[in-house]
Each structure stands twice: as C-alpha cells, then as structure tokens.
mmCIF file of all heavy atoms in Angstrom:
data_model
loop_
_atom_site.group_PDB
_atom_site.id
_atom_site.type_symbol
_atom_site.label_atom_id
_atom_site.label_comp_id
_atom_site.label_asym_id
_atom_site.label_seq_id
_atom_site.Cartn_x
_atom_site.Cartn_y
_atom_site.Cartn_z
ATOM 1 N N GLY A 1 132.692 217.418 218.022
ATOM 2 C CA GLY A 1 133.060 216.020 217.785
ATOM 3 C C GLY A 1 132.050 215.069 218.329
ATOM 4 O O GLY A 1 130.973 215.483 218.788
ATOM 5 N N LEU A 2 132.390 213.805 218.274
ATOM 6 C CA LEU A 2 131.541 212.723 218.778
ATOM 7 C C LEU A 2 132.087 212.247 220.096
ATOM 8 O O LEU A 2 133.243 211.817 220.196
ATOM 9 C CB LEU A 2 131.532 211.572 217.755
ATOM 10 C CG LEU A 2 130.780 210.292 218.198
ATOM 11 C CD1 LEU A 2 129.333 210.591 218.441
ATOM 12 C CD2 LEU A 2 130.962 209.215 217.132
ATOM 13 N N VAL A 3 131.259 212.338 221.138
ATOM 14 C CA VAL A 3 131.651 211.936 222.485
ATOM 15 C C VAL A 3 130.534 211.094 223.102
ATOM 16 O O VAL A 3 129.442 211.007 222.561
ATOM 17 C CB VAL A 3 131.946 213.145 223.383
ATOM 18 C CG1 VAL A 3 133.118 213.917 222.833
ATOM 19 C CG2 VAL A 3 130.719 214.035 223.502
ATOM 20 N N GLN A 4 130.849 210.527 224.279
ATOM 21 C CA GLN A 4 129.872 209.744 225.034
ATOM 22 C C GLN A 4 129.276 210.550 226.144
ATOM 23 O O GLN A 4 129.850 211.557 226.581
ATOM 24 C CB GLN A 4 130.519 208.487 225.543
ATOM 25 C CG GLN A 4 130.980 207.505 224.461
ATOM 26 C CD GLN A 4 131.600 206.250 225.019
ATOM 27 O OE1 GLN A 4 132.177 206.271 226.140
ATOM 28 N NE2 GLN A 4 131.457 205.176 224.330
ATOM 29 N N THR A 5 128.128 210.105 226.643
ATOM 30 C CA THR A 5 127.519 210.711 227.772
ATOM 31 C C THR A 5 128.494 210.878 228.940
ATOM 32 O O THR A 5 129.196 209.942 229.302
ATOM 33 C CB THR A 5 126.285 209.929 228.250
ATOM 34 O OG1 THR A 5 125.319 209.889 227.169
ATOM 35 C CG2 THR A 5 125.628 210.520 229.467
ATOM 36 N N GLY A 6 128.528 212.058 229.518
ATOM 37 C CA GLY A 6 129.435 212.354 230.621
ATOM 38 C C GLY A 6 130.761 212.941 230.232
ATOM 39 O O GLY A 6 131.488 213.436 231.077
ATOM 40 N N ASP A 7 131.084 212.920 228.956
ATOM 41 C CA ASP A 7 132.349 213.446 228.449
ATOM 42 C C ASP A 7 132.316 214.978 228.403
ATOM 43 O O ASP A 7 131.273 215.597 228.643
ATOM 44 C CB ASP A 7 132.650 212.917 227.044
ATOM 45 C CG ASP A 7 133.142 211.483 227.092
ATOM 46 O OD1 ASP A 7 133.384 210.940 228.179
ATOM 47 O OD2 ASP A 7 133.307 210.889 226.000
ATOM 48 N N SER A 8 133.451 215.563 228.096
ATOM 49 C CA SER A 8 133.598 217.004 227.998
ATOM 50 C C SER A 8 134.179 217.432 226.644
ATOM 51 O O SER A 8 134.910 216.651 226.009
ATOM 52 C CB SER A 8 134.550 217.536 229.103
ATOM 53 O OG SER A 8 134.027 217.276 230.383
ATOM 54 N N LEU A 9 133.826 218.601 226.227
ATOM 55 C CA LEU A 9 134.350 219.210 225.004
ATOM 56 C C LEU A 9 134.529 220.695 225.262
ATOM 57 O O LEU A 9 133.798 221.286 226.056
ATOM 58 C CB LEU A 9 133.393 219.025 223.818
ATOM 59 C CG LEU A 9 133.400 217.718 223.060
ATOM 60 C CD1 LEU A 9 132.286 217.742 222.000
ATOM 61 C CD2 LEU A 9 134.731 217.447 222.406
ATOM 62 N N ARG A 10 135.472 221.282 224.570
ATOM 63 C CA ARG A 10 135.645 222.745 224.587
ATOM 64 C C ARG A 10 135.557 223.261 223.184
ATOM 65 O O ARG A 10 136.363 222.944 222.327
ATOM 66 C CB ARG A 10 136.973 223.161 225.227
ATOM 67 C CG ARG A 10 137.073 224.670 225.408
ATOM 68 C CD ARG A 10 138.371 225.143 225.995
ATOM 69 N NE ARG A 10 139.480 224.952 225.087
ATOM 70 C CZ ARG A 10 140.703 225.459 225.276
ATOM 71 N NH1 ARG A 10 140.947 226.161 226.358
ATOM 72 N NH2 ARG A 10 141.654 225.243 224.370
ATOM 73 N N LEU A 11 134.539 224.111 222.930
ATOM 74 C CA LEU A 11 134.377 224.745 221.651
ATOM 75 C C LEU A 11 135.110 226.070 221.640
ATOM 76 O O LEU A 11 135.183 226.750 222.654
ATOM 77 C CB LEU A 11 132.901 224.957 221.344
ATOM 78 C CG LEU A 11 131.985 223.755 221.448
ATOM 79 C CD1 LEU A 11 130.587 224.141 221.030
ATOM 80 C CD2 LEU A 11 132.527 222.605 220.580
ATOM 81 N N SER A 12 135.643 226.451 220.503
ATOM 82 C CA SER A 12 136.295 227.732 220.329
ATOM 83 C C SER A 12 135.662 228.492 219.183
ATOM 84 O O SER A 12 135.154 227.914 218.217
ATOM 85 C CB SER A 12 137.789 227.513 220.010
ATOM 86 O OG SER A 12 138.446 226.857 221.062
ATOM 87 N N CYS A 13 135.692 229.800 219.283
ATOM 88 C CA CYS A 13 135.187 230.673 218.231
ATOM 89 C C CYS A 13 136.173 231.804 218.052
ATOM 90 O O CYS A 13 136.345 232.626 218.960
ATOM 91 C CB CYS A 13 133.808 231.197 218.594
ATOM 92 S SG CYS A 13 133.147 232.434 217.448
ATOM 93 N N VAL A 14 136.805 231.842 216.889
ATOM 94 C CA VAL A 14 137.769 232.909 216.588
ATOM 95 C C VAL A 14 137.087 234.008 215.780
ATOM 96 O O VAL A 14 136.452 233.731 214.771
ATOM 97 C CB VAL A 14 138.992 232.350 215.822
ATOM 98 C CG1 VAL A 14 139.945 233.467 215.466
ATOM 99 C CG2 VAL A 14 139.668 231.251 216.611
ATOM 100 N N VAL A 15 137.251 235.242 216.198
ATOM 101 C CA VAL A 15 136.647 236.382 215.578
ATOM 102 C C VAL A 15 137.711 237.153 214.827
ATOM 103 O O VAL A 15 138.762 237.479 215.364
ATOM 104 C CB VAL A 15 135.968 237.294 216.598
ATOM 105 C CG1 VAL A 15 135.313 238.474 215.908
ATOM 106 C CG2 VAL A 15 134.970 236.523 217.439
ATOM 107 N N SER A 16 137.457 237.466 213.570
ATOM 108 C CA SER A 16 138.359 238.258 212.762
ATOM 109 C C SER A 16 137.583 239.385 212.116
ATOM 110 O O SER A 16 136.404 239.354 212.004
ATOM 111 C CB SER A 16 139.049 237.416 211.713
ATOM 112 O OG SER A 16 138.114 236.843 210.787
ATOM 113 N N GLY A 17 138.321 240.405 211.680
ATOM 114 C CA GLY A 17 137.708 241.541 211.077
ATOM 115 C C GLY A 17 137.732 242.751 212.013
ATOM 116 O O GLY A 17 138.779 243.145 212.465
ATOM 117 N N ARG A 18 136.556 243.201 212.344
ATOM 118 C CA ARG A 18 136.469 244.361 213.221
ATOM 119 C C ARG A 18 136.525 243.951 214.702
ATOM 120 O O ARG A 18 135.588 244.116 215.474
ATOM 121 C CB ARG A 18 135.124 245.076 212.962
ATOM 122 C CG ARG A 18 135.020 245.596 211.539
ATOM 123 C CD ARG A 18 133.594 246.123 211.250
ATOM 124 N NE ARG A 18 133.486 246.524 209.819
ATOM 125 C CZ ARG A 18 132.327 246.808 209.277
ATOM 126 N NH1 ARG A 18 131.223 246.793 209.957
ATOM 127 N NH2 ARG A 18 132.305 247.167 207.970
ATOM 128 N N THR A 19 137.698 243.449 215.047
ATOM 129 C CA THR A 19 137.883 242.910 216.383
ATOM 130 C C THR A 19 138.030 243.963 217.461
ATOM 131 O O THR A 19 138.084 243.674 218.637
ATOM 132 C CB THR A 19 139.145 241.988 216.424
ATOM 133 O OG1 THR A 19 140.252 242.689 215.942
ATOM 134 C CG2 THR A 19 138.926 240.766 215.556
ATOM 135 N N PHE A 20 138.110 245.213 217.015
ATOM 136 C CA PHE A 20 138.160 246.323 217.990
ATOM 137 C C PHE A 20 136.823 246.575 218.628
ATOM 138 O O PHE A 20 136.716 247.213 219.666
ATOM 139 C CB PHE A 20 138.642 247.616 217.305
ATOM 140 C CG PHE A 20 137.809 248.054 216.188
ATOM 141 C CD1 PHE A 20 136.687 248.867 216.407
ATOM 142 C CD2 PHE A 20 138.091 247.676 214.871
ATOM 143 C CE1 PHE A 20 135.898 249.262 215.346
ATOM 144 C CE2 PHE A 20 137.306 248.086 213.829
ATOM 145 C CZ PHE A 20 136.192 248.886 214.061
ATOM 146 N N SER A 21 135.740 246.003 218.002
ATOM 147 C CA SER A 21 134.416 246.224 218.555
ATOM 148 C C SER A 21 134.254 245.442 219.838
ATOM 149 O O SER A 21 134.727 244.309 220.011
ATOM 150 C CB SER A 21 133.378 245.769 217.542
ATOM 151 O OG SER A 21 133.438 246.533 216.355
ATOM 152 N N ARG A 22 133.560 246.059 220.776
ATOM 153 C CA ARG A 22 133.303 245.407 222.063
ATOM 154 C C ARG A 22 132.041 244.570 221.986
ATOM 155 O O ARG A 22 131.002 244.911 222.566
ATOM 156 C CB ARG A 22 133.183 246.475 223.177
ATOM 157 C CG ARG A 22 134.486 247.211 223.441
ATOM 158 C CD ARG A 22 134.371 248.097 224.699
ATOM 159 N NE ARG A 22 135.615 248.705 225.057
ATOM 160 C CZ ARG A 22 135.797 249.396 226.166
ATOM 161 N NH1 ARG A 22 134.775 249.613 227.028
ATOM 162 N NH2 ARG A 22 136.975 249.909 226.451
ATOM 163 N N PHE A 23 132.197 243.460 221.291
ATOM 164 C CA PHE A 23 131.052 242.588 221.069
ATOM 165 C C PHE A 23 130.668 241.793 222.338
ATOM 166 O O PHE A 23 131.526 241.314 223.059
ATOM 167 C CB PHE A 23 131.340 241.546 219.986
ATOM 168 C CG PHE A 23 131.501 242.077 218.604
ATOM 169 C CD1 PHE A 23 132.645 241.877 217.893
ATOM 170 C CD2 PHE A 23 130.482 242.801 218.020
ATOM 171 C CE1 PHE A 23 132.812 242.342 216.614
ATOM 172 C CE2 PHE A 23 130.572 243.317 216.749
ATOM 173 C CZ PHE A 23 131.760 243.073 216.046
ATOM 174 N N THR A 24 129.403 241.713 222.578
ATOM 175 C CA THR A 24 128.878 240.652 223.408
ATOM 176 C C THR A 24 128.825 239.357 222.559
ATOM 177 O O THR A 24 128.388 239.425 221.419
ATOM 178 C CB THR A 24 127.472 241.006 223.970
ATOM 179 O OG1 THR A 24 127.588 242.020 224.926
ATOM 180 C CG2 THR A 24 126.823 239.796 224.607
ATOM 181 N N MET A 25 129.299 238.273 223.104
ATOM 182 C CA MET A 25 129.331 237.020 222.335
ATOM 183 C C MET A 25 128.346 236.014 222.913
ATOM 184 O O MET A 25 128.164 235.921 224.137
ATOM 185 C CB MET A 25 130.733 236.442 222.358
ATOM 186 C CG MET A 25 131.786 237.306 221.719
ATOM 187 S SD MET A 25 131.505 237.614 219.974
ATOM 188 C CE MET A 25 131.639 235.938 219.312
ATOM 189 N N GLY A 26 127.769 235.246 222.022
ATOM 190 C CA GLY A 26 126.819 234.207 222.463
ATOM 191 C C GLY A 26 127.044 232.922 221.770
ATOM 192 O O GLY A 26 127.677 232.834 220.724
ATOM 193 N N TRP A 27 126.578 231.862 222.408
ATOM 194 C CA TRP A 27 126.555 230.532 221.814
ATOM 195 C C TRP A 27 125.090 230.080 221.691
ATOM 196 O O TRP A 27 124.316 230.250 222.632
ATOM 197 C CB TRP A 27 127.314 229.499 222.655
ATOM 198 C CG TRP A 27 128.798 229.606 222.555
ATOM 199 C CD1 TRP A 27 129.634 230.236 223.410
ATOM 200 C CD2 TRP A 27 129.631 229.030 221.533
ATOM 201 N NE1 TRP A 27 130.943 230.098 223.018
ATOM 202 C CE2 TRP A 27 130.956 229.353 221.871
ATOM 203 C CE3 TRP A 27 129.390 228.266 220.403
ATOM 204 C CZ2 TRP A 27 132.054 228.981 221.072
ATOM 205 C CZ3 TRP A 27 130.489 227.857 219.620
ATOM 206 C CH2 TRP A 27 131.771 228.207 219.976
ATOM 207 N N PHE A 28 124.752 229.508 220.526
ATOM 208 C CA PHE A 28 123.433 229.000 220.268
ATOM 209 C C PHE A 28 123.608 227.594 219.721
ATOM 210 O O PHE A 28 124.679 227.206 219.246
ATOM 211 C CB PHE A 28 122.696 229.860 219.254
ATOM 212 C CG PHE A 28 122.355 231.244 219.721
ATOM 213 C CD1 PHE A 28 123.330 232.242 219.783
ATOM 214 C CD2 PHE A 28 121.063 231.554 220.089
ATOM 215 C CE1 PHE A 28 123.033 233.514 220.209
ATOM 216 C CE2 PHE A 28 120.736 232.842 220.520
ATOM 217 C CZ PHE A 28 121.716 233.814 220.584
ATOM 218 N N ARG A 29 122.569 226.795 219.779
ATOM 219 C CA ARG A 29 122.632 225.451 219.224
ATOM 220 C C ARG A 29 121.350 225.121 218.508
ATOM 221 O O ARG A 29 120.247 225.640 218.848
ATOM 222 C CB ARG A 29 122.916 224.441 220.279
ATOM 223 C CG ARG A 29 121.854 224.253 221.362
ATOM 224 C CD ARG A 29 122.343 223.313 222.488
ATOM 225 N NE ARG A 29 121.323 223.092 223.494
ATOM 226 C CZ ARG A 29 121.539 222.417 224.618
ATOM 227 N NH1 ARG A 29 122.751 221.923 224.866
ATOM 228 N NH2 ARG A 29 120.529 222.241 225.471
#
C-alpha cells in the first residue's frame, strides 16, 4: 500500500499447491 515515512506494513504470502515441501522462503524487491 501507500504509506508515509516511518509507518509500518505487514506483507503476507500464501503458498498453495505442494505445501508439504519444506521450502525456504524469501522476500525480494
């Protein structure tokens, strides 16, 4: 979303499909 300097956000990532896999997860920008 759109926020101002100093604000906070929480991003979420939902994984579906082969969720039994022991994935290492990463965030990139």
